[in-house]
Amino acid sequence: MERKTSYDVVVIGGGPGGYVAAIKAASRGASVALVEKERLGGTCLNWGCIPTKTLIANAELLRQIRRSEEYGISVGEVSFDFAKMTERKDRVVKGLRDGLRGLIESNGIAIFKGHGRFTGPNEIKVLGENNALLQAKATIVATGSEVRSMASFPFDWERVHSSTSILDLKRLPRRLVIIGGGVIGCEAASLYRLLGCEVVILEMLPLIISPEGEEVSRLLRAALEKEGIEIRTEVMVEGIDRTGDGISVRIKGEKPIVGDMALVAVGRKLNTDDVGLERAGVVVGLSGAIPVNERLETNIPGIYAIGDITGKYLLAHMASHQGIVAALNCTGERVNMDYRAVPSVIFTHPEVATVGYTLQRAKAAGYDAQVGRFPFQALGKSQAAIELDGFAQIVVDRKSGEILGAQVMGHEASLLIAEATLAIANELTVESVSDTIHAHPTLAESWLEAALLANDMPLHLPPRKPASKSLKEGGL
């Protein structure tokens, strides 16, 4: 491909936000350059979402085989080869990355491999495999985030791992100590426990996955502890020491926790300090986040920021959606970003998925809210599949019936959250769900039942209180 030095749109960062923005801008007839210093697909494809979910898929299949007797199936002694699991993970990642390059090139996008830095508001210098000086009518910054290191317990990539380096293990630890009970820590705990490791989670806050609310946190903790994961909250880790053949984690005021390896999962650092933003005049907050308006434009006209560096949600699908909005805005449309319906999924066992308000946050925001919650145990499909743990619940505004939020925990929660997200994004009412025919027998019926419960009209659970009027009838 003939490479130009002047483009309508230059995108810095080839992760799930950047490459989507580049494709969207190109589809609208813009000439586009995409600058990426490492691997196309960014953290999500190469060191995050895809490799971890590939390993989790392996572990989930292992779990199902091990419980095959419950289904009347005898398979004999079960074993697994962890090295082969990691090889499959690498093949999946490489295949997707190769396909992504072909997709980008098929859209006529020029790919520059190197580190992109602003030298001025409309100029980006690329240093690396493809040195270049690019002129841009509009620029989209999508540089993402990276693992946050802690001075008190630095990574050694051998016994003290980050969420990136632990994916390169060729052997499993006997006992893994995880510092941090957020999404990454809980997913890793669930994965390595399914693979037979002893696992301990150490969390400084009173709750694991605290942003998801007290109820979901409590129920997930109970489920993880049921699987044999030790969880300790409100502990302060002071350091990690190497022992003869393992590690010892020092905890303030308590005895050390010993293990073979440690995973430090205490957050991520925003990549905004080496992009030359100061030369472009772009304002950066103290946290490293770039303030943007509703159109994702920075304080400098023509320069947009998307993904983790906006400080909104550190989610790949959020970055992709922001990429579409930014691409539309820098190619002539005027589109605002809407954050009301952003789904979040935690791929633990059981899975957790949420969108919109929790009941507590809805009330704090001034809504007169109530919740309808339906347990998976009462679903025919759950009984048939022997996947009984979990629930789906809908948070509803009593006055209007509008669906404000939803939470689901259990089998296929990652799939189920899509219906609730669609409902919230389109400001649907609880009757919009309860009046919709849901196929039987499916787990999706849990939304129908939760909607009926939110309206005090249960079908497959006893009534909560006698003779109450529904929202549609003007009660509550």
Side-chain angles (χ1 to χ4, degrees):
M1 180 188 303
E2 182 179 354
R3 302 210 169 182
K4 303 178 181 178
T5 57
S6 180
Y7 294 89
D8 295 324
V9 180
V10 173
V11 181
I12 306 175
Y19 82 75
V20 167
I23 291 172
K24 187 64 178 178
S27 73
R28 290 174 54 77
S31 60
V32 181
L34 178 63
V35 181
E36 171 54 53
K37 67 177 181 177
E38 295 188 66
R39 294 178 179 177
L40 291 173
T43 295
C44 179
L45 172 54
N46 296 286
W47 310 286
C49 316
I50 302 303
T52 56
K53 277 53 179 184
T54 303
L55 289 174
I56 287 170
N58 290 341
E60 280 291 344
L61 178 57
L62 179 64
R63 182 185 76 91
Q64 286 294 85
I65 293 172
R66 283 174 169 166
R67 62 195 291 253
S68 63
E69 289 288 347
E70 297 180 51
Y71 298 87
I73 302 171
S74 298
V75 297
E77 185 176 352
V78 179
S79 63
F80 67 94
D81 187 327
F82 183 66
K84 287 185 177 180
M85 286 184 172
T86 60
E87 288 172 7
R88 188 181 87 86
K89 176 258 298 180
D90 293 338
R91 288 196 306 271
V92 169
V93 170
K94 184 180 184 303
L96 288 172
R97 188 171 60 243
D98 290 346
L100 176 58
R101 172 173 283 277
L103 175 64
I104 293 169
E105 290 177 341
S106 73
N107 280 273
I109 298 165
I111 301 172
F112 290 85
K113 185 171 184 181
H115 194 127
R117 294 184 182 89
F118 285 97
T119 58
N122 305 107
E123 188 175 81
I124 298 96
K125 188 173 186 178
V126 182
L127 293 176
E129 187 175 312
N130 305 125
N131 294 336
L133 190 62
L134 308 177
Q135 300 292 325
K137 294 180 181 178
T139 306
I140 299 174
V141 185
T143 46
S145 63
E146 61 187 44
V147 171
R148 182 184 296 278
S149 61
M150 302 292 288
S152 52
F153 30 91
F155 305 119
D156 64 13
W157 320 115
E158 180 183 356
R159 299 186 196 177
V160 182
H161 287 278
S162 70
S163 58
T164 298
S165 66
I166 201 168
L167 293 174
D168 292 328
L169 291 181
K170 296 299 184 287
R171 66 174 182 85
L172 290 169
R174 181 187 63 83
R175 181 175 170 85
L176 177 65
V177 182
I178 299 174
I179 292 89
V183 172
I184 293 174
C186 287
E187 285 189 354
S190 186
L191 166 63
Y192 290 102
R193 182 58 190 150
L194 285 173
L195 294 175
C197 305
E198 295 179 21
V199 179
V200 182
I201 296 176
L202 304 177
E203 170 56 49
M204 180 177 66
L205 299 176
L207 302 173
I208 60 172
I209 60 164
S210 55
E212 304 302 337
E214 183 176 348
E215 182 181 32
V216 171
S217 171
R218 175 177 56 81
L219 292 171
L220 179 61
R221 177 171 184 164
L224 294 179
E225 289 178 334
K226 182 180 177 181
E227 295 293 325
I229 297 170
E230 181 182 349
I231 300 175
R232 299 178 62 176
T233 52
E234 298 185 271
V235 295
M236 178 66 71
V237 175
E238 295 186 322
I240 303 175
D241 301 315
R242 289 176 67 111
T243 61
D245 56 356
I247 53 95
S248 177
V249 181
R250 286 179 278 116
I251 300 176
K252 185 176 181 179
E254 299 184 32
K255 292 182 179 180
I257 301 291
V258 297
D260 300 289
M261 295 180 188
L263 167 62
V264 180
V266 292
R268 297 185 65 82
K269 174 183 175 294
L270 305 184
N271 292 329
T272 55
D273 58 359
D274 193 22
V275 194
L277 293 168
E278 67 284 355
R279 295 190 176 186
V282 175
V283 170
V284 180
L286 294 177
S287 66
I290 301 175
V292 292
N293 62 19
E294 66 277 3
R295 298 173 61 234
L296 299 172
E297 195 169 28
T298 69
N299 63 299
I300 301 299
I303 299 180
Y304 298 78
I306 63 172
D308 294 359
I309 57 173
T310 62
K312 303 292 185 183
Y313 298 86
L314 274 64
L315 298 168
H317 47 276
M318 167 55 66
S320 296
H321 193 79
Q322 286 181 318
I324 292 171
V325 172
L328 289 171
N329 281 313
C330 68
T331 56
E333 286 199 32
R334 190 174 183 86
V335 182
N336 290 345
M337 187 66 202
D338 186 352
Y339 296 100
R340 289 175 306 153
V342 180
S344 174
V345 181
I346 305 174
F347 290 88
T348 46
H349 178 78
E351 291 182 346
V352 175
T354 62
V355 63
Y357 284 109
T358 63
L359 179 62
Q360 293 77 16
R361 288 178 181 163
K363 290 181 176 180
Y367 289 100
D368 182 13
Q370 72 172 23
V371 67
R373 175 178 172 182
F374 193 79
F376 279 11
Q377 280 189 331
L379 286 173
K381 180 61 183 291
S382 294
Q383 293 286 343
I386 322 180
E387 295 288 356
L388 305 179
D389 292 337
F391 66 93
Q393 69 180 25
I394 295 178
V395 181
V396 179
D397 177 26
R398 292 174 186 260
K399 182 178 179 180
S400 66
E402 182 180 351
I403 299 172
L404 304 173
Q407 298 82 41
V408 55
M409 187 176 84
H411 187 56
E412 295 187 352
S414 54
L415 297 177
L416 291 170
I417 200 62
E419 179 177 338
T421 303
L422 182 67
I424 294 171
N426 289 277
E427 301 181 6
L428 300 185
T429 64
V430 67
E431 286 83 10
S432 300
V433 176
S434 61
D435 290 347
T436 297
I437 299 171
H438 287 67
H440 174 77
T442 62
L443 293 177
E445 289 177 284
S446 59
W447 291 129
L448 168 63
E449 298 287 350
L452 290 168
L453 281 162
N455 208 7
D456 285 329
M457 297 175 63
L459 270 183
H460 290 95
L461 284 182
R464 291 193 294 191
K465 51 188 177 181
S468 67
K469 292 183 179 181
S470 71
L471 291 172
K472 184 180 286 187
E473 294 169 332
L476 304 175

